[in-house]
Amino acid sequence: MTTPTITPTLLRDLSDAEFLARYDTDPFTASVLSNRLRAAAQHVATGLLHRAFSPIIALAMDYVCAIIGPPEQNYRMVAATNGLTVFLGTLQDGVRAAVEEFGVDRLAPGDLLICNDPSRVGNHANDVCFIRPVFHSGRVVSFMVLRAHVIDIGGITPGGFDTNKRNIYETGLLIGPRLLFHAEEPVRETFTLIFDNSRFGEIQLPDYKTIHSCCRFGESLIVESIDRYGLDAYLGTLEYLCDTTAERMRLAIASLPDGDYEGKASIDADAEDADEEYLVRVKVVKRGDRIEADFSGSSRQARTAINAGALDAKTAVGVGLKVLLDPLGHFTSGSFRNIDIVIPPGTIASALPPDGAIFFYWEVANTVMTALIDALRDALGERAIGGDCGSNNVHNAFGVTADGTPWAASAVAGAETGPVGADRHADGEGHVCPYLINIISPATEGIEAQFPVMVMRKEYAADTSGTGLHRGGAAIMKDILWTGPARHQVAPFRFRKPSGIGVHGGEDGVQGGVWIFGQDGADLGFVPDSDDAYRDATPVAGVMDPETNRLDPAGIYAYYASERTWATKPGATFRYLTNGGGGWGDPLVRDPEAVKTDVRDGYVSIEAAAERYGVVIVGDPDRDPESLHVDIEKTTTLRLRNADEE
């Protein structure tokens, strides 16, 4: 006898009586409270952005604000801001771990609990989790949480962005759950512990105070909502928020054909040597309305700090599937309800202490996203999306000014942003960020005002997009000139293979690279994009012709850690060229007028228009771009010939 399939009742089909019985409130009140909570989280995040001193918070928005449910609801994350997505999957588990270890019964009104240990709360040591219990009628009813990157947490390198770290003792100060504020008063011994072990305390101290006040403000907004609508309605709404996102993801998963789908992606190397490439393998098993993501077969944990923890892999799967299957709507702990994750301990995505040093965890998350795109591109069909630039290419530089003042520029002077892939609706955007770490590109004026740099170039590079009916986003070429002596740690991890994979007949985006021009000092000025300039450059990362130092897929891999620390003298320029985004669909059916526009705008050269799209463009895009036109007859002939050759 076959067991009948039971289809859950959709939330919108519940009667008012059924809704009240489930959530202790009515649908209208639940919707109002849901929006109030999301607005409260965003209000808190805006307050931090406008008052932060640290550049990585104020310029790059490296933080997220979230509202977490009470212990009896298993600390579910119910609302989060549009901050860093790689924080989202760690919040429920991380807050639960920190609070349970500290003891929920020990918390009091006005407390601010902190923890930054990756093994407890995920992410890396600089991403400190600030947790404020929200009390109402003498009980904890929620937690207001800010997760923010602090500019320095100790360790062997100012700022921390160093691929060479080999164990947890080198990554920085690890703080188990302890109070930073108690009953609104600073806990002096915690502040002493932090500032005795980290640099740039004059920047961090006001940021910690700001975070405390922001969390206190967030608590007031939650309490105000409870006082207005009642505690039962509030707690019911927390359940409703997770149920709505769980339902969306369940329906999205159900729309995918049943099957076993395998994908992989790689990180070029760790900082030990260039010989070992690290693979992330994921097998997606889909049955009915459930998905299992199995990481068995992924590479061992790296020997240096390019690892991620299991909570980071969880985030990558949850957010990655959200991007692929249900890009609209909100993200909560409920988004994981129909997802199972299998991950052996001790892999590149589930590193264990003490030797599995975790720092560049987001790069593993980006790699998981590429593996998911690879695994599901055929199953999704026309719903597939092209791969992105793959890496944030974070650049860490530090030094001492002429007057002896130390400085560190972290994650603001590399190629932290870049293109994404195309989809069935449109071309890929060029200057955004990888799908899984939506950091923003810092303002040029902001970084030039704070550090010895000049941003000389930030532009799209021609002929780097993956071709298709819709093309991928174009790669970004970015030149940063250092006006003073500096030392640099770089993290370009995805240049051995294309990350911008093409889908649904589209082609891969071009692989990028990193170079230093004038490493031993140079006259201040622009570096041309010419053969002579590259011939004299120092290759840092990418697959290049060893004679010309130009990118060449048949060339030799330039190893980013061949110098533990790259030293430069005044006038040296770092050039980053990101990977291009993947294309979607057959490039031979792209609208010729769209190709002409791409030529006019500098995304595609006239030669590539003919070679890759079969479109013959006539005119001079540099001297008279508005006179460009399509030769219809030659285009038709060329496309027919190209179609026959395929």
Short mmCIF file of all heavy atoms in Angstrom, two decimals, residues 465-529:
data_model
loop_
_atom_site.label_atom_id
_atom_site.label_comp_id
_atom_site.label_asym_id
_atom_site.label_seq_id
_atom_site.Cartn_x
_atom_site.Cartn_y
_atom_site.Cartn_z
N SER A 465 33.92 39.65 -20.25
CA SER A 465 32.64 39.06 -19.88
C SER A 465 32.46 37.71 -20.56
O SER A 465 32.90 37.50 -21.70
CB SER A 465 31.49 39.96 -20.33
OG SER A 465 31.63 41.26 -19.83
N GLY A 466 31.78 36.79 -19.87
CA GLY A 466 31.34 35.58 -20.53
C GLY A 466 30.25 35.92 -21.52
O GLY A 466 29.28 36.59 -21.20
N THR A 467 30.42 35.48 -22.77
CA THR A 467 29.46 35.82 -23.81
C THR A 467 28.18 35.02 -23.65
O THR A 467 28.17 33.94 -23.04
CB THR A 467 30.05 35.57 -25.20
OG1 THR A 467 30.42 34.19 -25.31
CG2 THR A 467 31.26 36.43 -25.44
N GLY A 468 27.11 35.53 -24.23
CA GLY A 468 25.83 34.84 -24.18
C GLY A 468 24.74 35.71 -24.75
O GLY A 468 24.95 36.87 -25.11
N LEU A 469 23.54 35.14 -24.84
CA LEU A 469 22.38 35.96 -25.16
C LEU A 469 22.34 37.14 -24.20
O LEU A 469 22.05 38.27 -24.57
CB LEU A 469 21.11 35.12 -25.05
CG LEU A 469 19.78 35.87 -25.12
CD1 LEU A 469 19.62 36.58 -26.44
CD2 LEU A 469 18.62 34.93 -24.85
N HIS A 470 22.63 36.85 -22.94
CA HIS A 470 22.92 37.88 -21.96
C HIS A 470 24.35 37.67 -21.51
O HIS A 470 24.73 36.57 -21.10
CB HIS A 470 21.96 37.78 -20.77
CG HIS A 470 20.53 37.99 -21.15
ND1 HIS A 470 19.50 37.29 -20.58
CD2 HIS A 470 19.96 38.82 -22.06
CE1 HIS A 470 18.35 37.68 -21.10
NE2 HIS A 470 18.61 38.61 -22.01
N ARG A 471 25.17 38.70 -21.58
CA ARG A 471 26.58 38.56 -21.23
C ARG A 471 26.77 38.72 -19.73
O ARG A 471 25.98 39.39 -19.04
CB ARG A 471 27.44 39.59 -21.98
CG ARG A 471 27.09 41.02 -21.67
CD ARG A 471 28.18 41.99 -22.09
NE ARG A 471 27.74 43.36 -21.84
CZ ARG A 471 27.73 43.92 -20.64
NH1 ARG A 471 28.13 43.24 -19.59
NH2 ARG A 471 27.31 45.16 -20.49
N GLY A 472 27.87 38.13 -19.25
CA GLY A 472 28.22 38.32 -17.85
C GLY A 472 28.74 39.72 -17.60
O GLY A 472 29.03 40.48 -18.52
N GLY A 473 28.87 40.06 -16.33
CA GLY A 473 29.44 41.35 -15.98
C GLY A 473 30.91 41.42 -16.38
O GLY A 473 31.64 40.44 -16.32
N ALA A 474 31.34 42.61 -16.80
CA ALA A 474 32.73 42.80 -17.20
C ALA A 474 33.64 42.88 -15.99
O ALA A 474 33.25 43.37 -14.92
CB ALA A 474 32.86 44.08 -18.03
N ALA A 475 34.86 42.38 -16.16
CA ALA A 475 35.84 42.43 -15.09
C ALA A 475 36.20 43.88 -14.77
O ALA A 475 36.10 44.77 -15.62
CB ALA A 475 37.09 41.65 -15.48
N ILE A 476 36.65 44.10 -13.54
CA ILE A 476 37.09 45.42 -13.10
C ILE A 476 38.61 45.45 -13.07
O ILE A 476 39.25 44.56 -12.50
CB ILE A 476 36.55 45.74 -11.68
CG1 ILE A 476 35.03 45.71 -11.67
CG2 ILE A 476 37.07 47.09 -11.19
CD1 ILE A 476 34.39 46.76 -12.52
N MET A 477 39.19 46.48 -13.69
CA MET A 477 40.62 46.73 -13.56
C MET A 477 40.79 47.90 -12.60
O MET A 477 40.22 48.97 -12.79
CB MET A 477 41.27 47.05 -14.90
CG MET A 477 42.78 47.29 -14.79
SD MET A 477 43.57 47.66 -16.38
CE MET A 477 43.55 46.04 -17.14
N LYS A 478 41.59 47.66 -11.56
CA LYS A 478 41.74 48.67 -10.50
C LYS A 478 43.22 48.85 -10.20
O LYS A 478 43.93 47.89 -9.92
CB LYS A 478 40.99 48.21 -9.25
CG LYS A 478 40.94 49.22 -8.12
CD LYS A 478 40.06 48.69 -6.99
CE LYS A 478 40.01 49.62 -5.79
NZ LYS A 478 39.20 49.04 -4.70
N ASP A 479 43.70 50.09 -10.28
CA ASP A 479 45.08 50.45 -9.96
C ASP A 479 45.13 51.27 -8.68
O ASP A 479 44.48 52.33 -8.59
CB ASP A 479 45.71 51.28 -11.09
CG ASP A 479 46.05 50.45 -12.32
OD1 ASP A 479 45.81 49.23 -12.29
OD2 ASP A 479 46.55 51.03 -13.30
N ILE A 480 45.89 50.79 -7.70
CA ILE A 480 46.09 51.50 -6.44
C ILE A 480 47.56 51.87 -6.33
O ILE A 480 48.43 51.00 -6.29
CB ILE A 480 45.68 50.65 -5.23
CG1 ILE A 480 44.21 50.26 -5.32
CG2 ILE A 480 45.97 51.39 -3.93
CD1 ILE A 480 43.25 51.38 -5.08
N LEU A 481 47.85 53.17 -6.29
CA LEU A 481 49.21 53.66 -6.16
C LEU A 481 49.48 53.98 -4.70
O LEU A 481 48.70 54.70 -4.06
CB LEU A 481 49.41 54.90 -7.04
CG LEU A 481 50.82 55.47 -7.17
CD1 LEU A 481 50.95 56.20 -8.52
CD2 LEU A 481 51.17 56.44 -6.06
N TRP A 482 50.59 53.45 -4.18
CA TRP A 482 50.95 53.66 -2.77
C TRP A 482 51.98 54.78 -2.69
O TRP A 482 53.08 54.67 -3.23
CB TRP A 482 51.47 52.36 -2.17
CG TRP A 482 50.37 51.34 -2.14
CD1 TRP A 482 50.02 50.48 -3.14
CD2 TRP A 482 49.43 51.14 -1.09
NE1 TRP A 482 48.92 49.73 -2.78
CE2 TRP A 482 48.54 50.11 -1.51
CE3 TRP A 482 49.26 51.69 0.18
CZ2 TRP A 482 47.49 49.65 -0.72
CZ3 TRP A 482 48.21 51.23 0.97
CH2 TRP A 482 47.34 50.23 0.53
N THR A 483 51.60 55.86 -2.03
CA THR A 483 52.45 57.05 -1.99
C THR A 483 53.54 56.97 -0.93
O THR A 483 54.44 57.81 -0.91
CB THR A 483 51.59 58.30 -1.74
OG1 THR A 483 50.89 58.15 -0.50
CG2 THR A 483 50.59 58.48 -2.87
N GLY A 484 53.45 56.00 -0.04
CA GLY A 484 54.48 55.82 0.98
C GLY A 484 54.93 54.37 1.01
O GLY A 484 54.32 53.50 0.38
N PRO A 485 55.98 54.06 1.76
CA PRO A 485 56.42 52.68 1.87
C PRO A 485 55.36 51.84 2.57
O PRO A 485 54.70 52.32 3.50
CB PRO A 485 57.70 52.77 2.69
CG PRO A 485 57.59 54.06 3.45
CD PRO A 485 56.81 54.99 2.57
N ALA A 486 55.20 50.62 2.11
CA ALA A 486 54.14 49.78 2.68
C ALA A 486 54.51 48.31 2.54
O ALA A 486 55.36 47.93 1.74
CB ALA A 486 52.81 50.05 1.97
N ARG A 487 53.86 47.52 3.36
CA ARG A 487 53.97 46.07 3.27
C ARG A 487 52.57 45.52 3.05
O ARG A 487 51.59 46.04 3.61
CB ARG A 487 54.62 45.49 4.53
CG ARG A 487 56.04 46.02 4.74
CD ARG A 487 56.66 45.51 6.03
NE ARG A 487 56.92 44.07 5.99
CZ ARG A 487 57.99 43.53 5.40
NH1 ARG A 487 58.89 44.30 4.80
NH2 ARG A 487 58.18 42.22 5.42
N HIS A 488 52.48 44.46 2.25
CA HIS A 488 51.17 44.00 1.77
C HIS A 488 51.04 42.49 1.92
O HIS A 488 51.98 41.74 1.62
CB HIS A 488 50.99 44.34 0.29
CG HIS A 488 51.35 45.74 -0.08
ND1 HIS A 488 50.41 46.75 -0.20
CD2 HIS A 488 52.55 46.31 -0.36
CE1 HIS A 488 51.03 47.87 -0.54
NE2 HIS A 488 52.33 47.63 -0.64
N GLN A 489 49.86 42.07 2.37
CA GLN A 489 49.45 40.68 2.23
C GLN A 489 48.24 40.63 1.30
O GLN A 489 47.30 41.42 1.46
CB GLN A 489 49.07 40.07 3.58
CG GLN A 489 50.22 39.40 4.30
CD GLN A 489 50.68 40.19 5.49
OE1 GLN A 489 49.93 41.01 6.01
NE2 GLN A 489 51.90 39.98 5.93
N VAL A 490 48.31 39.76 0.32
CA VAL A 490 47.26 39.71 -0.70
C VAL A 490 46.54 38.37 -0.61
O VAL A 490 47.08 37.38 -0.11
CB VAL A 490 47.84 39.93 -2.10
CG1 VAL A 490 48.47 41.31 -2.20
CG2 VAL A 490 48.87 38.85 -2.46
N ALA A 491 45.32 38.34 -1.12
CA ALA A 491 44.50 37.12 -1.04
C ALA A 491 43.70 36.90 -2.31
O ALA A 491 42.48 36.81 -2.28
CB ALA A 491 43.57 37.22 0.18
N PRO A 492 44.38 36.79 -3.45
CA PRO A 492 43.67 36.47 -4.71
C PRO A 492 43.67 34.96 -4.91
O PRO A 492 44.67 34.38 -5.30
CB PRO A 492 44.53 37.18 -5.76
CG PRO A 492 45.91 37.22 -5.18
CD PRO A 492 45.79 37.11 -3.69
N PHE A 493 42.55 34.31 -4.63
CA PHE A 493 42.50 32.86 -4.53
C PHE A 493 41.86 32.13 -5.71
O PHE A 493 41.82 30.91 -5.71
CB PHE A 493 41.71 32.45 -3.28
CG PHE A 493 42.32 32.86 -1.99
CD1 PHE A 493 41.53 33.33 -0.95
CD2 PHE A 493 43.68 32.78 -1.78
CE1 PHE A 493 42.08 33.69 0.27
CE2 PHE A 493 44.25 33.14 -0.57
CZ PHE A 493 43.45 33.60 0.46
N ARG A 494 41.35 32.84 -6.72
CA ARG A 494 40.50 32.15 -7.70
C ARG A 494 40.92 32.44 -9.15
O ARG A 494 40.07 32.62 -10.03
CB ARG A 494 39.04 32.57 -7.51
CG ARG A 494 38.45 32.40 -6.13
CD ARG A 494 38.21 30.95 -5.75
NE ARG A 494 37.35 30.24 -6.66
CZ ARG A 494 36.02 30.35 -6.70
NH1 ARG A 494 35.38 31.14 -5.85
NH2 ARG A 494 35.31 29.64 -7.55
N PHE A 495 42.21 32.44 -9.43
CA PHE A 495 42.68 32.80 -10.76
C PHE A 495 43.20 31.62 -11.58
O PHE A 495 43.58 31.79 -12.73
CB PHE A 495 43.78 33.86 -10.67
CG PHE A 495 43.26 35.23 -10.31
CD1 PHE A 495 44.02 36.09 -9.53
CD2 PHE A 495 42.03 35.66 -10.74
CE1 PHE A 495 43.55 37.36 -9.19
CE2 PHE A 495 41.55 36.92 -10.41
CZ PHE A 495 42.31 37.77 -9.64
N ARG A 496 43.23 30.43 -11.02
CA ARG A 496 43.70 29.27 -11.79
C ARG A 496 42.64 28.76 -12.76
O ARG A 496 42.96 28.24 -13.82
CB ARG A 496 44.11 28.14 -10.84
CG ARG A 496 45.60 28.14 -10.54
CD ARG A 496 46.00 26.95 -9.70
NE ARG A 496 47.44 26.73 -9.79
CZ ARG A 496 48.18 26.16 -8.85
NH1 ARG A 496 47.61 25.75 -7.73
NH2 ARG A 496 49.46 25.98 -9.02
N LYS A 497 41.39 28.87 -12.36
CA LYS A 497 40.28 28.40 -13.20
C LYS A 497 39.20 29.47 -13.21
O LYS A 497 39.07 30.25 -12.27
CB LYS A 497 39.71 27.09 -12.65
CG LYS A 497 40.65 25.90 -12.77
CD LYS A 497 39.97 24.64 -12.25
CE LYS A 497 40.84 23.41 -12.50
NZ LYS A 497 42.06 23.45 -11.69
N PRO A 498 38.40 29.51 -14.28
CA PRO A 498 37.32 30.52 -14.32
C PRO A 498 36.33 30.29 -13.19
O PRO A 498 35.93 29.16 -12.91
CB PRO A 498 36.67 30.29 -15.69
CG PRO A 498 37.68 29.56 -16.50
CD PRO A 498 38.45 28.72 -15.52
N SER A 499 35.96 31.38 -12.52
CA SER A 499 34.88 31.30 -11.54
C SER A 499 33.56 31.75 -12.15
O SER A 499 32.49 31.33 -11.71
CB SER A 499 35.21 32.17 -10.32
OG SER A 499 35.33 33.53 -10.70
N GLY A 500 33.65 32.60 -13.17
CA GLY A 500 32.45 33.10 -13.84
C GLY A 500 31.98 32.10 -14.88
O GLY A 500 32.03 32.35 -16.08
N ILE A 501 31.48 30.95 -14.41
CA ILE A 501 31.12 29.89 -15.33
C ILE A 501 29.85 30.25 -16.10
O ILE A 501 28.90 30.82 -15.56
CB ILE A 501 30.96 28.54 -14.60
CG1 ILE A 501 29.96 28.64 -13.45
CG2 ILE A 501 32.30 28.07 -14.07
CD1 ILE A 501 29.76 27.33 -12.69
N GLY A 502 29.86 29.92 -17.39
CA GLY A 502 28.70 30.17 -18.23
C GLY A 502 27.63 29.11 -18.06
O GLY A 502 27.93 27.96 -17.73
N VAL A 503 26.38 29.51 -18.29
CA VAL A 503 25.26 28.58 -18.11
C VAL A 503 24.30 28.71 -19.28
O VAL A 503 24.27 29.72 -20.00
CB VAL A 503 24.50 28.87 -16.78
CG1 VAL A 503 25.39 28.61 -15.58
CG2 VAL A 503 23.96 30.29 -16.75
N HIS A 504 23.51 27.63 -19.48
CA HIS A 504 22.45 27.60 -20.49
C HIS A 504 22.98 28.00 -21.87
O HIS A 504 22.33 28.73 -22.61
CB HIS A 504 21.31 28.54 -20.07
CG HIS A 504 20.00 28.20 -20.71
ND1 HIS A 504 19.40 26.98 -20.59
CD2 HIS A 504 19.16 28.94 -21.50
CE1 HIS A 504 18.26 26.98 -21.27
NE2 HIS A 504 18.09 28.15 -21.82
N GLY A 505 24.20 27.55 -22.19
CA GLY A 505 24.80 27.87 -23.48
C GLY A 505 25.72 29.07 -23.47
O GLY A 505 26.35 29.37 -24.49
N GLY A 506 25.81 29.77 -22.34
CA GLY A 506 26.72 30.91 -22.24
C GLY A 506 28.14 30.45 -22.00
O GLY A 506 28.40 29.29 -21.65
N GLU A 507 29.09 31.35 -22.15
CA GLU A 507 30.50 31.03 -22.00
C GLU A 507 31.07 31.59 -20.70
O GLU A 507 30.51 32.51 -20.11
CB GLU A 507 31.29 31.56 -23.20
CG GLU A 507 30.88 30.91 -24.52
CD GLU A 507 31.70 31.42 -25.70
OE1 GLU A 507 32.55 32.32 -25.50
OE2 GLU A 507 31.50 30.92 -26.82
N ASP A 508 32.20 31.03 -20.29
CA ASP A 508 32.86 31.46 -19.06
C ASP A 508 33.44 32.86 -19.21
O ASP A 508 33.86 33.27 -20.30
CB ASP A 508 34.01 30.51 -18.70
CG ASP A 508 33.54 29.11 -18.38
OD1 ASP A 508 32.33 28.92 -18.13
OD2 ASP A 508 34.40 28.19 -18.37
N GLY A 509 33.48 33.58 -18.09
CA GLY A 509 34.19 34.84 -18.06
C GLY A 509 35.69 34.62 -18.04
O GLY A 509 36.19 33.54 -17.70
N VAL A 510 36.44 35.65 -18.39
CA VAL A 510 37.90 35.56 -18.48
C VAL A 510 38.51 35.56 -17.07
O VAL A 510 38.01 36.21 -16.17
CB VAL A 510 38.44 36.74 -19.32
CG1 VAL A 510 39.97 36.83 -19.24
CG2 VAL A 510 37.99 36.60 -20.77
N GLN A 511 39.60 34.80 -16.89
CA GLN A 511 40.33 34.81 -15.62
C GLN A 511 41.19 36.06 -15.51
O GLN A 511 41.72 36.56 -16.50
CB GLN A 511 41.24 33.58 -15.54
CG GLN A 511 40.49 32.26 -15.54
CD GLN A 511 41.36 31.11 -16.00
OE1 GLN A 511 41.07 30.47 -17.00
NE2 GLN A 511 42.43 30.85 -15.28
N GLY A 512 41.32 36.56 -14.27
CA GLY A 512 42.07 37.79 -14.04
C GLY A 512 43.43 37.54 -13.43
O GLY A 512 43.99 36.43 -13.52
N GLY A 513 43.99 38.59 -12.80
CA GLY A 513 45.31 38.49 -12.21
C GLY A 513 45.67 39.73 -11.42
O GLY A 513 44.90 40.70 -11.34
N VAL A 514 46.87 39.69 -10.83
CA VAL A 514 47.37 40.79 -10.01
C VAL A 514 48.84 41.03 -10.37
O VAL A 514 49.60 40.08 -10.56
CB VAL A 514 47.26 40.48 -8.50
CG1 VAL A 514 47.67 41.69 -7.66
CG2 VAL A 514 45.85 40.03 -8.13
N TRP A 515 49.23 42.32 -10.45
CA TRP A 515 50.59 42.70 -10.76
C TRP A 515 51.01 43.87 -9.86
O TRP A 515 50.17 44.61 -9.36
CB TRP A 515 50.74 43.18 -12.20
CG TRP A 515 50.34 42.20 -13.26
CD1 TRP A 515 51.15 41.41 -14.01
CD2 TRP A 515 49.00 41.94 -13.74
NE1 TRP A 515 50.42 40.67 -14.91
CE2 TRP A 515 49.10 40.97 -14.76
CE3 TRP A 515 47.74 42.42 -13.38
CZ2 TRP A 515 47.99 40.48 -15.44
CZ3 TRP A 515 46.63 41.94 -14.05
CH2 TRP A 515 46.76 40.97 -15.07
N ILE A 516 52.34 44.02 -9.69
CA ILE A 516 52.89 45.23 -9.08
C ILE A 516 53.75 45.93 -10.13
O ILE A 516 54.63 45.31 -10.75
CB ILE A 516 53.78 44.94 -7.86
CG1 ILE A 516 53.03 44.10 -6.83
CG2 ILE A 516 54.24 46.25 -7.21
CD1 ILE A 516 53.90 43.67 -5.65
N PHE A 517 53.50 47.20 -10.34
CA PHE A 517 54.31 48.02 -11.23
C PHE A 517 55.16 48.96 -10.38
O PHE A 517 54.65 49.61 -9.47
CB PHE A 517 53.42 48.85 -12.17
CG PHE A 517 52.54 48.00 -13.06
CD1 PHE A 517 51.27 47.62 -12.65
CD2 PHE A 517 52.98 47.61 -14.31
CE1 PHE A 517 50.46 46.85 -13.47
CE2 PHE A 517 52.18 46.83 -15.14
CZ PHE A 517 50.91 46.45 -14.72
N GLY A 518 56.46 49.00 -10.66
CA GLY A 518 57.35 49.89 -9.90
C GLY A 518 57.49 49.49 -8.46
O GLY A 518 57.47 50.35 -7.57
N GLN A 519 57.66 48.20 -8.20
CA GLN A 519 57.72 47.71 -6.81
C GLN A 519 58.83 48.39 -6.01
O GLN A 519 58.66 48.66 -4.82
CB GLN A 519 57.91 46.20 -6.80
CG GLN A 519 57.91 45.60 -5.40
CD GLN A 519 58.00 44.08 -5.41
OE1 GLN A 519 58.09 43.46 -6.48
NE2 GLN A 519 57.97 43.47 -4.25
N ASP A 520 59.95 48.69 -6.64
CA ASP A 520 61.08 49.30 -5.95
C ASP A 520 61.03 50.83 -5.95
O ASP A 520 62.02 51.49 -5.64
CB ASP A 520 62.39 48.83 -6.58
CG ASP A 520 62.63 47.34 -6.37
OD1 ASP A 520 62.18 46.83 -5.33
OD2 ASP A 520 63.23 46.70 -7.24
N GLY A 521 59.88 51.37 -6.28
CA GLY A 521 59.70 52.82 -6.31
C GLY A 521 59.57 53.33 -7.73
O GLY A 521 60.19 52.79 -8.66
N ALA A 522 58.74 54.33 -7.92
CA ALA A 522 58.50 54.86 -9.26
C ALA A 522 57.98 56.28 -9.14
O ALA A 522 57.53 56.72 -8.08
CB ALA A 522 57.49 53.99 -10.01
N ASP A 523 58.08 57.01 -10.26
CA ASP A 523 57.46 58.33 -10.32
C ASP A 523 55.96 58.17 -10.23
O ASP A 523 55.37 57.26 -10.83
CB ASP A 523 57.84 59.03 -11.63
CG ASP A 523 59.32 59.36 -11.71
OD1 ASP A 523 59.93 59.52 -10.64
OD2 ASP A 523 59.85 59.43 -12.83
N LEU A 524 55.31 59.04 -9.49
CA LEU A 524 53.87 58.94 -9.35
C LEU A 524 53.20 59.20 -10.68
O LEU A 524 53.52 60.16 -11.38
CB LEU A 524 53.38 59.97 -8.31
CG LEU A 524 53.98 59.84 -6.91
CD1 LEU A 524 53.38 60.88 -5.99
CD2 LEU A 524 53.77 58.45 -6.34
N GLY A 525 52.27 58.34 -11.05
CA GLY A 525 51.58 58.55 -12.32
C GLY A 525 50.78 57.32 -12.70
O GLY A 525 50.81 56.28 -12.03
N PHE A 526 50.07 57.44 -13.84
CA PHE A 526 49.26 56.34 -14.34
C PHE A 526 50.14 55.27 -14.97
O PHE A 526 51.15 55.58 -15.62
CB PHE A 526 48.27 56.86 -15.38
CG PHE A 526 47.16 57.67 -14.80
CD1 PHE A 526 47.25 59.05 -14.75
CD2 PHE A 526 46.01 57.07 -14.31
CE1 PHE A 526 46.23 59.82 -14.21
CE2 PHE A 526 44.99 57.82 -13.76
CZ PHE A 526 45.10 59.20 -13.71
N VAL A 527 49.74 54.02 -14.81
CA VAL A 527 50.41 52.91 -15.46
C VAL A 527 49.57 52.52 -16.67
O VAL A 527 48.39 52.20 -16.53
CB VAL A 527 50.56 51.71 -14.52
CG1 VAL A 527 51.18 50.52 -15.25
CG2 VAL A 527 51.39 52.09 -13.30
N PRO A 528 50.16 52.54 -17.88
CA PRO A 528 49.37 52.20 -19.07
C PRO A 528 49.04 50.72 -19.12
O PRO A 528 49.70 49.89 -18.48
CB PRO A 528 50.28 52.61 -20.22
CG PRO A 528 51.66 52.52 -19.66
CD PRO A 528 51.55 52.92 -18.22
N ASP A 529 48.04 50.39 -19.90
CA ASP A 529 47.68 49.00 -20.14
C ASP A 529 48.36 48.55 -21.42
O ASP A 529 47.72 48.33 -22.46
CB ASP A 529 46.15 48.87 -20.23
CG ASP A 529 45.70 47.42 -20.36
OD1 ASP A 529 46.51 46.53 -20.09
OD2 ASP A 529 44.53 47.20 -20.74
#
